[in-house]
Amino acid sequence: MTLPLIPAPQSSILRVGPGEPLTASHVDALADALAPWAPRAAAAARRTLADLPRTTGSTAGVTVTATLDPSLADEGYTLDLAAGSWTLTAADEAGAFWAVQSLAQLLRDGAVPDLQISDAPAYPVRGMMLDIARFYFGPDEIRRVIDLAASYRLNQLHLHLSDDQGWRLEIPSRPLLTKMSAAQDVAGGQGGYLTLEDYEQLQRYALDRHVVIVPEVDLPGHTHAAQVAYPEISPDGAEREPYIGTEVGFSSLHLTSDEAWDFVDDIVATLAEHTLGEYVHLGGDESLTLTREQYVTYMERLGAVAEKHGTKAVFWQEAAGAALPPGTRLQYWTSQIETDHIAQVARDHDVTFIASPATRAYLDQKYTADFPLGLTWAAIVDVREAYDWDPVAELPGVPAESVVGVEACLWTETPRSFDDLTMLVLPRLPAVASVAWGSPKDYPAFASALAQHGRWWDADGLVFYRSEQVDWT
């Protein structure tokens, strides 16, 4: 029997036996045991397990223990489920929360299997990126994405908040951004934006699920929308009309003017002040109008601005080789640009890498050549392509210890609804989550578990793609 657990645990033993029905006493006892030291895990137990099918059996004879064990790997946990007795141990609060997420899958159909699990993630950064700049998804939809990410033990949501098509976050010192640059999207729709209150509430919601939000404002390119509101930050100062196309690389801020750098300072200061996590993403990709020298000079100054405001920065891979502040993260996304220097950068600079290869982890790429949603510039990415890859191997020469994370990315040139979003994300997000967790590679077992998740997605009303690489029956 294959456990319907995604990501698959590092080790598991399924014992022979009928198991037992899930009862209210299991859930209550687990939440009570977790509450003193892992309150968010306790809340998750009451929230997610309480709605599962269960009997109204007696509370007698059920023993549940949940203990902290710092000797386990970070975010690690163990589970021992037996008749009348559950034992959960976790390295920390996050480990306890991920144990509850695993239980939510294991118990989804109302029966308690007799098993042992020992589990911990391979990478500390396990993320999903959602582009709300091209096509706007609002707070309610973002909450649903957070829930979905957390259910697959992802711990980071990267929100792409600005691009040529739209600006999506309130900046009090720059009111024209939301007045003039948020009222459209790539589909010609009305757009929208997050207020700072929206943003802070989303972060609290995410942290309750052990997910950190990393905001991205892309600089110096992908900035046409910002220049619509403030043309003085552009290279020529000319007024601009809103852009709803999908071309990239044509826009850039003025590289040296006081007006442009005052704008950047305002943006980074606001992000730093209102972001609860330690990182903000400041873009740096596809600045195709700049020479390499111009680009490096700009990125080094941008890194200094982040450091001045007390925040750490993430940049796309193009920033590799610039002199960046210690602790900077670089996000690898393509081999179609120069990558020979990245291994040397990893060895010589205090930077780490997040692997998001477009040929594996970009969820905006088509499943098949004729699929109605998505693009094909990087690859055709079906389930197996999203599952069967190694993050370290994607960055040749980069030391394994310098690769700290994996992130799936959803750009929104083509989705127009939440159903479109889930169609692109499912079933590939669980595949990339398995890579990020470092699950043992076993595609047949993964595909079998995925089929069970498909039945659950149907029951939950989530639209997904029934890949021919999975037997959904």
Side-chain angles (χ1 to χ4, degrees), residues 267-342:
I267 301 307
V268 177
T270 301
L271 291 178
E273 179 183 355
H274 293 277
T275 297
L276 301 179
E278 61 178 339
Y279 280 88
V280 301
H281 201 307
L282 297 177
D285 63 320
E286 297 176 322
S287 294
L288 304 183
T289 64
L290 308 183
T291 67
R292 179 64 183 173
E293 181 181 9
Q294 288 173 324
Y295 174 82
V296 167
T297 299
Y298 187 93
M299 298 308 291
E300 290 177 350
R301 186 170 175 181
L302 182 56
V305 172
E307 194 171 35
K308 180 184 78 170
H309 288 292
T311 190
K312 294 181 179 179
V314 188
F315 297 112
W316 296 103
Q317 72 185 65
E318 288 94 320
L324 301 171
T328 297
R329 289 175 179 166
L330 298 172
Q331 188 164 0
Y332 172 84
W333 63 281
T334 182
S335 62
Q336 294 183 5
I337 57 177
E338 178 60 47
T339 59
D340 290 347
H341 64 299
I342 286 181

Side-chain angles (χ1 to χ4, degrees), residues 128-184:
M128 176 182 169
M129 189 219 75
L130 176 62
D131 171 13
I132 65 170
R134 289 181 175 84
F135 188 84
Y136 179 67
F137 291 98
D140 289 344
E141 294 158 318
I142 294 170
R143 288 186 184 91
R144 296 179 70 185
V145 170
I146 291 167
D147 286 337
L148 186 61
S151 74
Y152 292 106
R153 286 177 260 151
L154 299 175
N155 64 359
Q156 179 172 291
L157 178 65
H158 167 184
L159 283 180
H160 186 74
L161 296 168
S162 71
D163 216 296
D164 293 313
Q165 297 83 357
W167 187 280
R168 307 302 179 198
L169 181 66
E170 175 189 15
I171 305 294
S173 62
R174 299 285 175 165
L176 296 183
L177 287 171
T178 46
K179 182 177 181 180
M180 299 181 64
S181 302
Q184 64 284 319

Side-chain angles (χ1 to χ4, degrees), residues 380-394:
I380 301 296
V381 182
D382 207 331
V383 177
R384 187 145 196 171
E385 288 74 27
Y387 175 84
D388 196 12
W389 61 283
D390 175 17
V392 174
E394 291 289 329

Side-chain angles (χ1 to χ4, degrees), residues 365-368 371 380-382 423-428 465:
Q365 299 300 291
K366 289 179 178 288
Y367 291 96
T368 62
F371 193 69
I380 301 296
V381 182
D382 207 331
M423 178 70 83
L424 287 168
V425 165
L426 300 174
R428 292 182 294 191
Y465 172 62

